[in-house]
Amino acid sequence: MKRMKVLLASCLVSMLLILAGCQSVGGLDISKSLSDNLTVKSSESKQTLSLEIVPSGTEMNEEEQEMIELINSFSLTIDHAKVQDVSTSSVEGTLSLASKKLPFHLSVDKNNLVLWVQGAKQPISVSLDSMYADSGIDIADLQTSEQALELMSNLGKFLFKNASNPESVSVSSVTESVYGEAMSLQKLHIDVRGDELVGLAKSFLTSVSKDKEGVKELIGTLYDVYYPIFKSELGVSSSEEYLDEVELPLGLGTLNNLLDDKEATVIYLTNQLQKSLNELLVDYDKNVNEMFTETPEMKELFGKDTVLAMDFMFDKSLNVRKQKIDLTVQIPTTLELPIKQIKVHSTSEIWNVNKAVIANKIDISKGSLVVDVLNANLATPGKFLRNFDNQSDAYHFIKEDMNISQKYFYMNTLVDEEYDWYYDYALPIDVNQTKMVPIRYFAEELDAEIKWDSVLKQITVIDDITGSTIVLKNGSNQALVDGEKVKLSEPLMKVEGTYYVPLHFIAGALGSTVEWDNDSKAILIERP
């Protein structure tokens, strides 16, 4: 029963994303027009996006007021987006938040994703090749394959074909300016209210449950596009043996044998999906009523005041050339939040549809800050901050608004025989009433770099955020912090192969604070 209600809630949310139904309005084939625009291969565009929080009028504390003001100050302006092909594109625009304006340039091709933000010393680059190097998948081939385009087309047609039109939908002729050119367009206007979603979702699910051929075609396309990736991943993870052990009902053999047979897989998944839909639809109305009774917040959330309003403007070739989207989400009063509504507003203009477009790539030939997504721990907060002018809006946004340098962790101090295997560090020790901690573990938890000089028998710790250096020698109660001598309460010492340093010294030297949790007998270290 609980699973059914979760499915129902998911369906209601999803219906906000399925824009219109299969019926033609005013001579416009809505399903075909919208699904065809999912497979546009190239274009240029500009767009705006903004958020608005509407206060409920109840009393707010200072923190809540500041948060609402911060969110309401957010806007994203895309001055120029270029889609060259399915794998190559660029976006130039400005992100605004509070008093900060962050001009940016993003470019993507088959090999790299590159981001430049005003104030950056070098662009930030992510290698897309490295993400799939071990799997043997050529992601570029996947991105540009006709099968991937076919999948987008089939998915759009399937969704729009099975969705019913909402109550408010109309088509009219308008004259609008697109990229400075006055154009005669057909405007499709759609309003979807929250209280319509129950009926729209039921209609959609009922239609899908009867559209066996449509489901088979969609699953078949999904199989063609993603099964090669799935098999390649199995080869890397060596989990294929597990699939050979999974026996299917009705004498279908093992899961691995089934997956190797496209026709059998498509039929099996189609039958399973439609079986689940039919089970859901049997008590659909009853489950919806129970869900709204048990969680009255859902009824208010999906009420008449939650509205998705959309305008799509088509040219003579049925390409979307301009669009406007306004989403208003009603916040349930039972949640006792100082927020009444959340609003999202977006506008866009599109030109050069399916024509020759050249993306504005970012030049990284002179260097970039390389981010390896498979080894994200190497991209420390300090590396990011040092890549920006500390007087720039971007630097302050990353450090103060995103709190990129903020970090905390706990260190247990008691040995628990049941869980001591879990600790990946040596526990702190007490020496003459001084709490001593393992220096390597402590430093690395705060992203600091640690070096050992075997000749001088000394350790150098380099703070990730400030770049400060801390030099300690084994057995010495004196440290050098940026060249200045600092006396330690206890010397650096080696115990059973681990070097220990006084807790309060190393915490302060790395810009963090220390708190004691008496209940768990653990130390909380926090860096603001």
Side-chain angles (χ1 to χ4, degrees):
M1 184 66 70
K2 183 177 180 181
R3 183 174 69 90
M4 290 296 186
K5 291 171 186 174
V6 171
L7 285 173
L8 281 173
S10 301
C11 289
L12 294 178
V13 173
S14 299
M15 288 307 295
L16 282 173
L17 305 177
I18 301 173
L19 308 182
C22 59
Q23 300 177 13
S24 296
V25 177
L28 178 67
D29 187 334
I30 298 173
S31 174
K32 185 178 187 306
S33 300
L34 292 174
S35 60
D36 284 353
N37 277 272
L38 293 176
T39 56
V40 168
K41 295 181 179 180
S42 62
S43 66
E44 297 184 62
S45 62
K46 64 179 183 177
Q47 184 176 359
T48 64
L49 175 68
S50 61
L51 302 178
E52 180 186 358
I53 302 294
V54 181
S56 62
T58 59
E59 187 175 348
M60 290 184 288
N61 59 41
E62 185 177 349
E63 184 178 354
E64 290 170 335
Q65 180 68 41
E66 289 178 355
M67 180 58 66
I68 290 176
E69 290 176 355
L70 180 65
I71 294 174
N72 286 344
S73 72
F74 167 85
S75 69
L76 175 65
T77 302
I78 296 176
D79 299 311
H80 203 172
K82 292 185 174 185
V83 178
Q84 180 174 321
D85 53 47
V86 292
S87 63
T88 310
S89 59
S90 63
V91 177
E92 297 170 75
T94 302
L95 173 68
S96 299
L97 188 68
S99 60
K100 303 179 182 68
K101 291 187 179 296
L102 307 176
F104 68 91
H105 182 181
L106 174 72
S107 68
V108 182
D109 60 24
K110 297 175 182 179
N111 303 311
N112 296 293
L113 181 151
V114 185
L115 172 65
W116 173 87
V117 180
Q118 189 175 78
K121 299 172 183 176
Q122 287 186 322
I124 299 168
S125 65
V126 178
S127 172
L128 301 180
D129 289 337
S130 65
M131 294 173 61
Y132 297 91
D134 292 336
S135 66
I137 302 169
D138 189 340
I139 193 65
D141 288 345
L142 173 63
Q143 289 173 323
T144 58
S145 70
E146 290 299 320
Q147 288 178 333
L149 293 175
E150 183 184 356
L151 172 59
M152 290 299 297
S153 178
N154 287 354
L155 179 60
K157 290 175 182 177
F158 177 80
L159 293 177
F160 297 130
K161 178 183 69 171
N162 287 291
S164 300
N165 286 342
E167 291 181 14
S168 178
V169 56
S170 62
V171 174
S172 59
S173 297
V174 297
T175 299
E176 291 281 341
S177 175
V178 178
Y179 195 52
E181 176 187 358
M183 301 187 68
S184 296
L185 304 169
Q186 277 187 295
K187 182 173 80 170
L188 169 65
H189 177 77
I190 304 170
D191 281 339
V192 184
R193 298 192 320 272
D195 57 359
E196 290 184 87
L197 293 179
V198 170
L200 289 173
K202 184 178 182 180
S203 175
F204 176 75
L205 296 174
T206 301
S207 180
V208 172
S209 71
K210 298 176 180 178
D211 186 16
K212 190 167 187 176
E213 291 306 311
V215 172
K216 286 174 63 177
E217 182 180 0
L218 181 61
I219 292 177
T221 309
L222 285 166
Y223 182 99
D224 290 338
V225 174
Y226 292 109
Y227 183 62
I229 299 175
F230 176 71
K231 287 293 288 185
S232 180
E233 287 295 329
L234 281 180
V236 173
S237 62
S238 301
S239 58
E240 195 165 351
E241 293 180 3
Y242 167 75
L243 297 182
D244 280 326
E245 296 173 0
V246 179
E247 291 286 340
L248 295 170
L250 306 177
L252 292 172
T254 68
L255 183 56
N256 195 42
N257 289 336
L258 173 69
L259 291 175
D260 281 335
D261 186 335
K262 175 184 175 180
E263 184 178 357
T265 300
V266 171
I267 293 174
Y268 177 76
L269 293 178
T270 298
N271 291 338
Q272 289 296 108
L273 173 62
Q274 295 201 300
K275 178 184 176 182
S276 297
L277 288 177
N278 289 328
E279 290 175 355
L280 178 65
L281 287 167
V282 168
D283 294 317
Y284 179 87
D285 295 329
K286 177 184 175 182
N287 287 330
V288 166
N289 291 331
E290 288 182 356
M291 180 178 67
F292 283 158
T293 300
E294 294 172 5
T295 55
E297 296 87 358
M298 291 282 289
K299 191 168 187 177
E300 194 170 357
L301 176 64
F302 294 110
K304 62 181 179 61
D305 293 320
T306 290
V307 181
L308 177 62
M310 297 163 288
D311 289 328
F312 296 92
M313 301 177 206
F314 299 88
D315 62 16
K316 293 179 181 179
S317 301
L318 296 184
N319 294 314
V320 174
R321 303 301 298 275
K322 200 166 187 176
Q323 62 185 35
K324 177 182 176 183
I325 299 176
D326 288 291
L327 172 63
T328 299
V329 179
Q330 185 72 19
I331 303 300
T333 54
T334 52
L335 296 180
E336 298 182 351
L337 296 173
I339 299 173
K340 179 181 179 181
Q341 292 176 332
I342 300 175
K343 296 185 176 183
V344 182
H345 177 68
S346 174
T347 64
S348 62
E349 297 178 20
I350 307 166
W351 62 95
N352 281 343
V353 180
N354 287 329
K355 295 182 179 179
V357 174
I358 304 299
N360 294 331
K361 291 187 179 181
I362 300 173
D363 183 12
I364 58 173
S365 61
K366 296 181 180 179
S368 65
L369 175 60
V370 179
V371 176
D372 183 352
V373 294
L374 299 180
N375 295 284
N377 59 312
L378 300 178
T380 66
K383 286 184 180 179
F384 271 104
L385 287 172
R386 286 189 290 277
N387 190 48
F388 289 87
D389 179 350
N390 61 14
Q391 299 301 312
S392 67
D393 279 349
Y395 179 91
H396 292 291
F397 174 76
I398 295 171
K399 190 174 191 305
E400 297 161 11
D401 295 318
M402 293 184 65
N403 295 317
I404 191 174
S405 63
Q406 189 175 47
K407 193 167 188 179
Y408 71 90
F409 64 98
Y410 283 92
M411 293 190 71
N412 293 287
T413 62
L414 297 179
V415 175
D416 188 326
E417 293 182 357
E418 293 184 11
Y419 297 102
D420 61 349
W421 57 268
Y422 174 78
Y423 306 147
D424 56 356
Y425 57 88
L427 294 181
I429 60 176
D430 291 303
V431 178
N432 298 325
Q433 298 184 331
T434 295
K435 187 70 70 178
M436 306 284 285
V437 292
I439 187 170
R440 178 172 292 278
Y441 174 81
F442 193 98
E444 290 180 348
E445 280 297 296
L446 292 174
D447 307 302
E449 183 181 358
I450 187 164
K451 298 179 179 180
W452 166 250
D453 188 321
S454 58
V455 177
L456 298 176
K457 306 294 184 184
Q458 67 182 27
I459 294 173
T460 300
V461 179
I462 304 173
D463 185 272
D464 179 56
I465 303 300
T466 64
S468 294
T469 59
I470 306 155
V471 181
L472 304 113
K473 277 194 173 185
N474 187 32
S476 173
N477 65 354
Q478 183 173 276
L480 292 178
V481 180
D482 286 337
E484 295 188 8
K485 296 178 180 179
V486 177
K487 187 176 181 180
L488 305 179
S489 56
E490 291 293 331
L492 177 73
M493 60 182 65
K494 188 175 184 180
V495 179
E496 296 182 357
T498 298
Y499 284 96
Y500 288 83
V501 67
L503 166 64
H504 286 278
F505 162 75
I506 193 64
L510 293 176
S512 58
T513 59
V514 175
E515 287 188 23
W516 172 254
D517 186 334
N518 195 52
D519 293 333
S520 62
K521 307 301 181 187
I523 304 166
L524 169 62
I525 298 93
E526 184 172 10
R527 182 179 64 195

